Amino acid sequence: MSAVPTAVYSTINASLFARFLANDAAEPLLAVAAEHSLLPGSAFADAGALPSAPVDVAIVVAPPESVLTSVAGLLGGAPCDPQTLRDEVDAFAAAVSALPARLVLVATWVVPRRYSGGVLALDERWGLDGAVGAANARLLARLRETGTRHALNAAGWQATLGERAHSAKNRYLTHDPYAFDFWKLAVAEVKAALASFGGAAKKLVVLDLDNTLWGGEVGDGGAESLRLGGHDPVGEAFVAFQRELLALRRRGVLLAVASKNDAAIALAALDGHPEQVIRSGDLAGWAIDWNDKGYNVGMLCERLGIAAADTVFIDDNPAERGAVAAALPGITVPDWPANPLLYVDALRRIDLFDVPFVTDEDLARARTYAATRSLRAGVPHDRVTRVDVRPLSAADAPRALQLLNKTNQMNLTTRRFTATDLQPWLAQTDRAAWVVRVADEYADYGLTGAFALQFEGAVCTVTDLVMSCRVMGRGVEKRMLERAMDEARARGCVRVEARFVPTQRNEPMRRFLAERSGLTDGGDGCFSAGLDARVPA
Amino acid sequence: MNLSREAVETAVYGAVSDLNESLPGDQRVALSGTTDIFAAVDSLAALNLLLRIEERVAEASGAPCDLTEGDLYETTLFASPTLDQLVNAVHASLVGAAP
């Protein structure tokens, strides 16, 4: 993968940050094309004066006192006028919005090294914490309006590091008030944010049961022997861990179980233990038997239509962790603490679940998977699937954008977009896009597919075609292609083409094109057919 | 502050490893006692390294460490020591002896 052109804008010396960014080995790799050290004060207030070589990503780090005159005044003992502060924040947000980058990440403002304001600390007129808090809230609201400018939680880095976030000496030696660890944490957060925009967030957590989800071995003593809840720190820790997992599920991450146990006994504990938080109804699937775990986890991924690379496996047993990691290249298998009291912290440290926004489809995903477990067990899919194809509307755009940016397996080109890229592209008269909703008698899967077409004379090109893995294997992709061909015919085209761009993960799309689409492989990744043809039944 | 030379060496080498994370692959500082440490990096990296050594030593000893004032600062920045000499200088400064 090539490095992403990146610029750093700062009113302090952010060279160490830029160097870490440029040399950090985690994906996505960044090429720091420019580092703009701007003068404090009015530098950000005049968008037109900012350096303007376009890049993909811009990162802005500016201490509040360097860009907000009101905050500088507070440090000098003057009161802060709330309306003036809001105006200054708006000017800063406007300048940030105008930066020549597809995506801008802005570090939220951090209160300068411990500045005690006593009981006035949180007062917006006299307190630094109050003024900076109000400024951050205003900034977030302004950035939210843009869709492509986002905040990085720098206050969180400071909270994590405490006093170690700042370096009084560095401030004077290099004009950088922050310490080494602050910038390392900043780089990790930038990478996690960019990975989430690139669709790298994990979608599935597969869990062991004994001594992972609960304490003890259910096969030995039954549900009543388990350490779960009660007046027991270990039992409480397992309950807290389950609550943490359930919180992930509510945000759209699927949960599944792979356990070497007697299924009837284990499921009885899941649904019968009074302190159990996660019930079988919360699981998208389970494999509870005596098979090899690598096989079972792989089978769960396949059954759920989720790639191993989008999956996290958690097990207290290092041997099982090693076996699953060896069996499924790409799967994330975190080292896991031996002490259950540390499980919640270990889960929180997995910063691979972050997403840039949460859609209704995310919230419904776990429910629909659970609802279709019985369906996957044997009811024929095609009998119940309803597919609704409609032109892309403004209301559908956020979810369509998410699909384009998150989908890997059923993705024709794996082109990634921002809102600002998509709208001008679609505004051209020779282009159009549709979205697809899928439902069946068990669940509404929501907006799970999208495709875009470009019409050039007699040829219609499918420029993008993406479909969520949640509805794979139901013939939805065929319905999408059929609709694309109908649109092409209606516009007088005689030929349809789809240029496949291979990645490490979109083999399912290639197989569809090669085996089930009715299109002919030209040998160069271009699949095509005359429009007198039909998609095979 | 009572820190063995080995502990100081660990802290200094750890700081150099940290610094290397900010440098391109071909500019990383070799973790060798004979490396001319400040000839290998620019002035910003040199300052970052000194401050990182302070943090690492303070972490190891539990007490503040000051390398950016007085003779040691002059010595480390301008005398172009090897990594071994830097370890010795830091260790000597901690035990109060002349480096």
Side-chain angles (χ1 to χ4, degrees):
Chain A
M1 184 183 283
S2 59
V4 179
T6 303
V8 174
Y9 290 84
S10 184
T11 49
I12 55 174
N13 177 1
S15 290
L16 183 58
F17 176 50
R19 290 177 182 195
F20 276 134
L21 275 176
N23 295 295
D24 185 72
E27 295 284 353
L29 300 179
L30 303 180
V32 180
E35 183 198 336
H36 302 296
S37 294
L38 306 171
L39 289 174
S42 61
F44 270 101
D46 181 4
L50 293 172
S52 61
V55 289
D56 280 2
V57 176
I59 302 165
V60 178
V61 184
E65 68 274 23
S66 72
V67 287
L68 302 174
T69 307
S70 297
V71 173
L74 263 175
L75 283 167
C80 169
D81 173 52
Q83 184 54 50
T84 304
L85 177 65
R86 285 194 283 275
D87 292 344
E88 290 166 4
V89 173
D90 288 354
F92 176 80
V96 163
S97 297
L99 287 175
R102 296 170 71 225
L103 182 74
V104 178
L105 301 175
V106 186
T108 52
W109 288 305
V110 174
V111 175
R113 189 184 184 90
R114 197 59 256 146
Y115 179 89
S116 173
V119 293
L120 283 177
L122 292 170
D123 185 278
E124 198 180 347
R125 281 181 61 79
W126 292 101
L128 201 54
D129 294 77
V132 171
N136 275 328
R138 181 83 176 186
L139 177 64
L140 287 176
R142 292 279 89 89
L143 296 181
R144 202 173 294 125
E145 293 164 0
T146 67
T148 56
R149 275 64 181 131
H150 301 268
L152 292 167
N153 185 16
W157 313 337
Q158 179 171 256
T160 300
L161 296 170
E163 281 292 298
R164 289 191 298 124
H166 300 270
S167 171
K169 290 180 179 176
N170 209 21
R171 172 187 294 274
Y172 299 107
L173 287 170
T174 73
H175 297 112
D176 170 4
Y178 300 114
F180 222 82
D181 287 334
F182 184 87
W183 291 126
K184 287 179 78 171
L185 201 50
V187 170
E189 293 277 323
V190 167
K191 291 295 185 85
L194 294 178
S196 75
F197 281 106
K202 302 298 175 188
K203 298 171 180 167
L204 170 66
V205 179
V206 181
L207 297 141
D208 171 47
L209 288 177
D210 291 341
N211 296 311
T212 300
L213 204 59
W214 53 49
E217 276 127 27
V218 72
D220 288 345
E224 58 276 14
S225 71
L226 298 178
R227 294 184 80 174
L228 199 56
H231 296 291
D232 168 19
V234 172
E236 285 179 26
F238 278 111
V239 166
F241 177 53
Q242 290 197 21
R243 287 205 179 106
E244 203 72 17
L245 289 163
L246 208 55
L248 284 178
R249 179 186 180 274
R250 291 195 184 105
R251 299 280 294 269
V253 177
L254 303 180
L255 304 178
V257 159
S259 168
K260 287 181 177 171
N261 257 311
D262 181 299
I265 294 172
L267 289 170
L270 269 171
D271 289 331
H273 195 292
E275 301 272 10
Q276 182 69 20
V277 175
I278 294 174
R279 303 291 185 183
S280 63
D282 298 317
L283 302 175
W286 57 78
I288 305 175
D289 54 34
W290 303 100
N291 286 333
D292 171 75
K293 274 206 188 168
Y295 167 80
N296 269 349
V297 175
M299 186 266 294
L300 275 168
C301 290
E302 192 179 326
R303 200 196 295 164
L304 296 170
I306 291 179
D310 294 328
T311 301
V312 174
F313 175 67
I314 295 175
D315 196 312
D316 67 299
N317 184 333
E320 298 287 17
R321 295 202 297 268
V324 169
L328 299 168
I331 194 168
T332 298
V333 184
D335 284 338
W336 204 246
N339 188 339
L341 305 185
L342 302 175
Y343 281 13
V344 167
D345 278 355
L347 184 62
R348 287 179 181 170
R349 272 200 293 273
I350 302 172
D351 58 353
L352 300 170
F353 300 112
D354 294 344
V355 290
F357 40 77
V358 179
T359 64
D360 290 343
E361 279 75 9
D362 291 326
L363 300 177
R365 182 177 302 126
R367 266 201 320 277
T368 56
Y369 266 99
T372 52
R373 263 200 322 271
S374 57
L375 188 67
R376 290 168 189 279
V379 181
H381 295 157
D382 290 345
R383 198 183 69 188
V384 293
T385 303
R386 295 192 301 277
V387 180
D388 170 34
V389 184
R390 64 186 187 215
L392 173 66
S393 67
D396 290 330
R399 171 60 182 159
L401 202 60
Q402 187 190 45
L403 267 178
L404 286 161
N405 288 334
K406 282 185 73 176
T407 306
N408 293 307
Q409 296 183 84
M410 285 300 285
N411 194 330
L412 183 68
T413 60
T414 318
R415 279 205 299 168
R416 304 306 193 191
F417 290 87
T418 67
T420 45
D421 297 330
L422 190 61
Q423 278 151 8
W425 191 89
L426 286 172
Q428 300 188 45
T429 54
D430 60 343
R431 293 166 189 178
W434 286 262
V435 292
V436 180
R437 292 191 74 92
V438 178
D440 61 27
E441 62 198 271
Y442 293 89
D444 181 349
Y445 300 89
L447 203 158
T448 42
F451 60 92
L453 305 178
Q454 185 164 1
F455 306 98
E456 287 176 296
V459 177
C460 167
T461 303
V462 183
T463 56
D464 297 275
L465 194 156
V466 298
M467 190 186 79
S468 166
C469 51
R470 282 192 286 158
V471 291
M472 275 168 72
R474 291 163 173 252
V476 176
E477 59 273 40
K478 286 186 183 181
R479 301 280 292 278
M480 293 166 69
L481 187 56
E482 277 169 4
R483 181 60 182 269
M485 292 168 79
D486 286 346
E487 292 292 337
R489 287 186 196 100
R491 296 209 187 200
C493 297
V494 298
R495 189 158 193 83
V496 65
E497 291 182 359
R499 186 165 293 280
F500 173 71
V501 179
T503 69
Q504 289 184 332
R505 293 164 72 178
N506 66 352
E507 174 64 13
M509 174 59 82
R510 192 202 63 76
R511 283 208 305 270
F512 162 63
L513 293 169
E515 297 166 14
R516 304 192 307 279
S517 69
L519 305 181
T520 303
D521 185 356
D524 56 353
C526 184
F527 291 80
S528 64
L531 282 169
D532 49 343
R534 295 274 166 191
V535 180
Chain B
M1 192 183 305
N2 192 12
L3 206 61
S4 70
R5 188 191 180 282
E6 288 68 29
V8 172
E9 185 176 275
T10 301
V12 170
Y13 276 58
V16 175
S17 295
D18 293 337
L19 180 76
N20 276 340
E21 291 178 37
S22 73
L23 300 174
D26 59 351
Q27 293 174 28
R28 293 194 170 171
V29 178
L31 289 170
S32 157
T34 58
T35 300
D36 185 348
I37 184 70
F38 294 117
V41 296
D42 63 22
S43 58
L44 178 71
L47 287 168
N48 289 146
L49 177 61
L50 279 187
L51 293 172
R52 190 58 172 169
I53 291 171
E54 285 188 353
E55 289 173 12
R56 285 265 189 176
V57 169
E59 210 170 86
S61 67
C65 167
D66 195 344
L67 306 178
T68 49
E69 191 192 37
D71 291 347
L72 183 62
Y73 184 45
E74 303 299 322
T75 305
T76 49
L77 273 188
F78 300 110
S80 200
T82 65
L83 206 43
D84 258 351
Q85 288 167 337
L86 181 61
V87 170
N88 290 337
V90 172
H91 182 241
S93 77
L94 297 178
V95 297

